């Protein structure tokens, strides 16, 4: 869906994207990262709103440098910040956005009412936007991005500033609309649960670099139940015994930790036995449930 | 249920036939023009009404005998279409034209910048320049309705007074094309100035006050200074007139009609000459700077949100 090769974006001395390379598949993809990680910059570059300092991006099979205007016909964008005019009604605004996307008046009107119907906006759609609640404003922001039937929708922090109920409703709406309109979604956020709820794939970005790209379900499934160990000397021999015992199972080794998939209570006995055989001191051993939070924090920190 | 399924399928299979950039820009421009003319903009409609009443009173009822240009003295000539853009005391509508341009153009970009909807426009299949053109079209068309149309009405009225004589048309062919050129020139110039103020000041009311003050207010001040400097016999004092947009545009307008430009200082008219190359060069420089400035302001908005 989006292919970025060695993309660099600098704002003066600050490097927002640092040799960023990623191949984003079709589906519902989350870009996760702390504030200032480079998520919004990447979205804006992919949208053709700003130019990268160097590197190459292909969106929906077309080169962004050569064809950014045409690409935008296939893209919808929901910015993070409030950006809708207060002095128009929801319907007027969506029709205008439809027409600016290239729809004729009749199609834009019809599509506006269909989308607002799906978003469960009743008579309030005829009210001025300045009278809307935060949740309704977000819905209008989402709807304007979908009005021209894009193949790909960029959502920049769509749940930002919403209360828990409105947030849940927005996530369900995104899920529902993406399914029903056959639209690919690129969700940029710093909220982990949003990605877990909506996305098939997750990309974690930090300091302008790609940290991880993984299928959300696989990632959670693979790392949900783990025994985390910290050992003293002779760790190499300990690890090789563990590898023999845990044939075909992933053993993750970091500088500080060794992680072994949890099978059952026997797993602890196997570890102790391996440590005894290798004459390796066990400092810590605990069963941890790896959530997206753990993964995220580990990657980001 | 069956009906719902059909609606869902239609929504899912939505494959729109999107129009190209030219149509999008034209559509945006025409919708903007329609909005300026709507009943919501009572002040603009009121001012347009005054311009037409003025035209009716001064140019149709009182009508000028020697059309289009009249010799004032051995050296000076004044033309109906130049008088139309002049000051009130000479039957001109300048103050209303500047006022309409200031009021109508002030919100065109300022509102998009204030509510930040400019990001949504620029995420559509149009470039920044396309967006600017789309925002200039409404004010340009509005200005044409108060510059070109009244002048065409006067022209047609003179043609009718001549007894629909074909000779009138052939002898005034250049007047006809010049008045069109002059109207386009004033309209595009005021539109660009208006868009610049709208983007730079970012608040509708302030932008319109800034436009009026900088264009009309400065012209009055410059004229006074020029008068004083002339009295003191300061050399090249006429160049101070180039600081006033109104005088600057008038100089080009007089050139269009191939008439000597004159300024009335303390009751007496004075011919002022500027080399054409300087005037054209300055115009291109000034107005392309305005466009570049607006483009820069918008590009900064994109980066900083």
């Amino acid at each position: 869906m989006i292919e970025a090769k060695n993309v660099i974006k600098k704002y003066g001395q600050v490097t927002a994207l640092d040799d960023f390379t990623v191949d984003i598949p079709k589906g519902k993809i989350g870009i996760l990262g702390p504030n200032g990680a480079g998520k919004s910059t990447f979205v804006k570059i992919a949208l053709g709103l700003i130019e990268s300092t160097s590197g190459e991006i292909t969106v929906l099979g077309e080169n962004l440098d050569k064809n950014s205007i045409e690409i935008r016909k296939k893209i919808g964008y929901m910015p993070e910040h409030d950006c809708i005019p207060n002095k128009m009604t929801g319907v007027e605004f969506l029709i205008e956005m439809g027409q600016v996307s290239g729809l004729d008046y009749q199609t834009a009107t019809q599509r506006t009412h269909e989308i607002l119907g799906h978003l469960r906006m009743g008579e309030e759609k005829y009210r001025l936007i300045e009278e809307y609640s935060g949740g309704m404003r977000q819905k209008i922001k989402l709807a304007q991005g979908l009005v021209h039937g894009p193949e790909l929708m960029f959502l920049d922090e769509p749940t930002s500033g919403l209360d828990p109920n409105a947030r849940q409703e927005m996530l369900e709406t995104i899920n529902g609309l993406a399914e029903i309109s056959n639209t690919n979604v690129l969700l940029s956020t710093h909220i982990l649960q949003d990605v877990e709820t909506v996305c098939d794939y997750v990309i974690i970005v930090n300091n302008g670099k790609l940290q991880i790209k993984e299928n959300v379900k696989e990632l959670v499934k693979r790392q949900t139940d783990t025994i985390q160990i910290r050992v003293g000397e002779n760790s190499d021999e300990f690890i090789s015994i563990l590898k023999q015992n845990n044939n075909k199972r992933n053993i993750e080794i970091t500088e500080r930790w060794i992680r072994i998939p949890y099978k059952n209570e026997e797993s602890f006995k196997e570890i102790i036995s391996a440590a005894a055989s290798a004459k390796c001191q066990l400092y810590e051993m605990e069963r941890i449930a790896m959530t997206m939070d753990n993964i995220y924090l580990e990657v980001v920190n | 249920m069956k009906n719902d399924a059909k609606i869902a399928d239609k929504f899912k299979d939505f494959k729109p036939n999107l129009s190209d950039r030219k149509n999008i820009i034209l559509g945006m421009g025409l919708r903007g023009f329609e909005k300026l003319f709507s009943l919501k903009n009572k002040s603009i409609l009121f001012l347009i009404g005054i311009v037409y009443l003025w035209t009716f009173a001064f140019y149709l009822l009182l009508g000028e005998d020697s059309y289009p240009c009249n010799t004032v003295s051995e050296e000076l000539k004044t033309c109906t279409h130049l008088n139309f853009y002049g000051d009130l005391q000479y039957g001109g509508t300048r103050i209303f034209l500047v006022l309409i341009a200031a009021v109508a153009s002030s919100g065109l970009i300022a509102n998009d910048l204030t509510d930040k909807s400019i990001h949504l426009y620029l995420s559509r299949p149009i470039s920044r320049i396309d967006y600017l053109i789309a925002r200039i079209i409404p004010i340009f068309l509005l200005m044409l309705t108060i510059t070109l149309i009244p002048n065409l009405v006067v022209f047609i009225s003179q043609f009718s007074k001549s007894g629909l004589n074909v000779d009138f048309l052939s002898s005034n062919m250049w007047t006809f094309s010049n008045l069109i050129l002059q109207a386009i020139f004033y309209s595009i110039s005021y539109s660009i100035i208006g868009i610049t103020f709208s983007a730079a000041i970012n608040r509708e009311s302030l932008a319109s006050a800034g436009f009026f003050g900088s264009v009309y207010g400065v012209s009055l001040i410059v004229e006074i200074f020029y008068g004083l400097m002339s009295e003191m016999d300061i050399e090249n004092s006429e160049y101070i007139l180039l600081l006033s947009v109104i005088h600057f545009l008038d100089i080009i307008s007089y050139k269009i009609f191939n008439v000597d430009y004159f300024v009335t200082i303390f009751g007496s008219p004075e011919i002022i000459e500027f080399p054409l190359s300087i005037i054209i060069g300055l115009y291109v420089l000034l107005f392309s700077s305005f466009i570049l400035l607006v483009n820069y302001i918008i590009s900064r908005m994109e980066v900083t949100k």
Side-chain angles (χ1 to χ4, degrees):
Chain A
M1 186 166 70
I2 300 175
E3 227 183 307
K5 279 183 195 161
N6 311 106
V7 176
I8 297 174
K9 176 65 190 175
K10 287 186 178 179
Y11 295 109
Q13 297 294 314
V14 181
T15 305
L17 287 177
D18 188 5
D19 205 22
F20 189 77
T21 299
V22 69
D23 184 2
I24 301 176
K26 286 194 172 183
K28 290 180 278 183
I29 317 297
I31 301 188
L32 203 58
N35 292 328
K39 307 182 301 282
S40 292
T41 301
F42 177 67
V43 167
K44 282 183 182 176
I45 291 175
L47 200 60
L49 282 180
I50 54 174
E51 284 178 13
S52 58
T53 311
S54 67
E56 199 176 287
I57 296 194
T58 310
V59 179
L60 298 167
E62 295 193 59
N63 189 303
L64 192 67
D65 290 337
K66 292 175 189 163
N67 224 356
S68 69
I69 304 278
E70 279 303 303
I71 290 172
R72 283 191 220 153
K73 284 186 176 174
K74 304 176 192 173
I75 293 177
Y77 175 48
M78 177 188 179
E80 177 187 357
H81 53 280
D82 198 19
C83 55
I84 44 180
N86 288 322
K87 300 293 175 195
M88 288 172 102
T89 67
V91 168
E92 282 170 353
F93 177 60
L94 284 202
I95 293 173
E96 169 69 10
M97 284 293 115
Q99 288 181 288
V100 178
S101 304
L103 297 178
D104 60 72
Y105 177 76
Q106 201 182 357
T107 314
T109 308
Q110 197 179 339
R111 178 79 175 168
T112 292
H113 288 286
E114 281 171 9
I115 291 181
L116 292 178
H118 280 291
L119 288 171
R120 278 167 277 160
M121 283 188 77
E123 290 304 304
E124 60 267 40
K125 66 186 173 187
Y126 297 110
R127 278 175 19 208
L128 287 177
I129 291 171
E130 67 185 352
E131 296 169 17
Y132 287 5
S133 65
M136 280 157 75
R137 294 178 80 89
Q138 288 294 87
K139 280 183 180 179
I140 291 290
K141 257 167 66 179
L142 175 66
Q144 62 75 33
L146 286 165
V147 73
H148 57 297
E151 278 180 48
L152 168 62
M153 180 79 187
F154 287 114
L155 304 171
D156 200 355
E157 308 277 1
T159 56
S160 153
L162 295 181
D163 64 53
N165 282 337
R167 196 176 136 253
Q168 193 53 39
E169 197 186 341
M170 175 53 69
L171 292 175
E172 282 169 13
T173 306
I174 291 168
N175 252 336
L177 278 176
E179 300 271 321
I180 202 169
S181 61
N182 246 346
T183 305
N184 298 295
V185 170
L186 189 69
L187 171 73
S188 160
T189 182
H190 63 273
I191 305 170
L192 292 156
Q193 288 88 340
D194 289 3
V195 172
E196 280 185 276
T197 311
V198 173
C199 299
D200 311 321
Y201 261 87
V202 63
I203 290 160
I204 299 180
V205 183
N206 195 25
N207 295 326
K209 282 182 186 279
L210 174 70
Q211 305 292 334
I212 199 171
K213 182 189 127 189
E214 187 66 83
N215 182 304
V216 173
K217 281 180 188 155
E218 284 297 313
L219 195 69
V220 174
K221 201 167 92 186
R222 183 158 59 87
Q223 304 198 49
T224 293
D225 236 351
T226 318
I227 299 169
Q228 186 167 274
I229 311 158
R230 195 159 67 85
V231 293
E233 288 174 356
N234 293 334
S235 64
D236 291 344
E237 202 181 331
F238 171 67
I239 290 164
S240 80
I241 295 170
L242 278 179
K243 280 184 177 170
Q244 281 167 19
N245 293 346
N246 287 274
N247 195 20
K248 289 181 188 171
R249 282 201 291 167
N250 291 328
I251 296 177
E252 193 188 334
I253 302 155
T254 67
E255 262 182 45
R256 190 173 164 82
W257 302 105
I258 299 168
R259 292 193 188 107
I260 300 160
Y262 172 82
K263 198 166 49 181
N264 49 39
E265 286 305 304
E266 286 299 309
S267 303
F268 289 106
K269 287 179 186 167
E270 280 174 19
I271 292 164
I272 293 164
S273 153
S277 305
K279 293 190 176 137
C280 172
Q281 207 171 355
L282 275 175
Y283 291 154
E284 279 181 52
M285 178 166 70
E286 63 173 333
R287 184 179 163 190
I288 55 160
M290 280 293 271
T291 61
M292 289 284 282
D293 283 356
N294 297 103
I295 300 163
Y296 174 76
L297 288 172
E298 194 174 284
V299 169
V300 167
N301 294 326
Chain B
M1 282 294 283
K2 203 176 172 184
N3 199 29
D4 282 352
K6 270 186 190 169
I7 292 168
D9 282 347
K10 203 172 147 198
F11 194 82
K12 196 171 183 172
D13 300 331
F14 183 65
K15 295 270 185 298
N17 188 17
L18 299 176
S19 57
D20 59 13
R21 280 162 75 181
K22 275 184 215 155
N23 286 327
I24 293 174
I25 297 163
L26 194 63
M28 271 177 82
L30 292 176
R31 286 194 299 281
F33 177 57
E34 208 178 297
K35 265 188 204 167
L36 288 179
F37 250 119
S38 78
L39 284 173
K40 283 180 190 168
N41 291 315
K42 290 188 181 67
S43 54
I44 294 174
L45 292 178
F46 174 72
L47 288 168
I48 291 172
I50 288 183
V51 171
Y52 276 88
L53 278 176
W54 203 265
T55 308
F56 185 72
F58 275 84
Y59 299 94
L60 299 184
L61 281 185
L62 298 176
E64 294 194 19
D65 291 334
S66 57
Y67 180 88
C69 292
N70 185 19
T71 307
V72 179
S73 66
E74 261 182 45
E75 286 176 314
L76 286 176
K77 250 190 351 180
T78 176
C79 302
T80 304
H81 310 295
L82 293 171
N83 291 348
F84 178 81
Y85 296 96
D87 286 327
L88 277 181
Q89 66 264 35
Y90 305 113
T93 58
R94 172 182 289 157
I95 190 166
F96 303 121
L97 299 185
V98 176
L99 209 51
I100 291 171
V103 174
S105 64
S106 57
L108 288 173
I109 291 186
N111 288 342
D112 292 346
L113 290 174
T114 309
D115 58 34
K116 297 188 176 72
S117 58
I118 194 163
H119 296 286
L120 299 179
Y121 284 107
L122 294 174
S123 68
R124 261 55 202 188
I126 54 170
S127 67
R128 211 182 297 141
I129 294 296
D130 293 340
Y131 167 80
L132 278 179
I133 294 169
R135 285 294 179 244
I136 285 177
I137 288 173
I139 181 68
F140 176 66
L141 291 179
L142 184 79
M143 292 308 291
L144 279 186
T145 61
I146 49 168
T147 54
L148 183 60
I149 294 176
N151 274 300
L152 284 179
V153 169
V154 174
F155 185 86
I156 291 164
S157 131
Q158 292 295 328
F159 177 49
S160 139
K161 270 186 189 172
S162 75
L164 303 178
N165 190 347
V166 181
D167 287 345
F168 175 89
L169 289 181
S170 54
S171 60
N172 285 292
M173 198 177 68
W174 283 110
T175 307
F176 182 72
S177 55
N178 283 346
L179 74 88
I180 292 175
L181 183 64
Q182 188 195 28
I184 292 173
F185 166 71
Y186 273 111
S187 299
I188 194 72
S189 304
Y190 282 136
S191 303
I192 292 173
I193 298 169
I195 287 291
T196 309
F197 273 95
S198 182
I201 295 185
N202 208 345
R203 288 276 181 278
E204 198 174 348
S205 50
L206 286 178
S208 105
F211 181 116
F212 190 75
S214 311
V215 173
Y216 202 80
V218 167
S219 82
L220 298 177
I221 296 167
V222 161
E223 220 165 85
I224 292 168
F225 267 91
Y226 174 66
L228 294 173
M229 287 165 82
S230 304
E231 287 292 300
M232 290 188 274
D233 286 331
I234 295 175
E235 234 179 276
N236 293 330
S237 57
E238 68 273 17
Y239 277 90
I240 196 175
L241 291 172
L242 296 180
L243 292 176
S244 152
V245 173
I246 282 180
H247 287 89
F248 184 46
L249 296 182
D250 282 352
I251 291 166
I252 299 176
S253 181
Y254 275 64
K255 296 266 183 207
I256 291 173
F257 276 86
N258 199 21
V259 171
D260 284 331
Y261 178 64
F262 67 91
V263 182
T264 310
I265 301 295
F266 303 130
S268 59
E270 234 180 77
I271 290 183
I272 295 163
E273 278 181 37
F274 288 104
L276 187 64
S277 55
I278 288 186
I279 298 302
I280 300 289
L282 205 57
Y283 181 83
V284 172
L285 189 72
L286 186 67
F287 282 83
S288 46
S289 308
F290 283 157
I291 295 282
L292 288 175
L293 176 68
V294 177
N295 190 44
Y296 174 75
I297 292 166
I298 295 173
S299 69
R300 290 308 304 156
M301 270 292 285
E302 284 170 30
V303 175
T304 58
K305 294 186 183 178

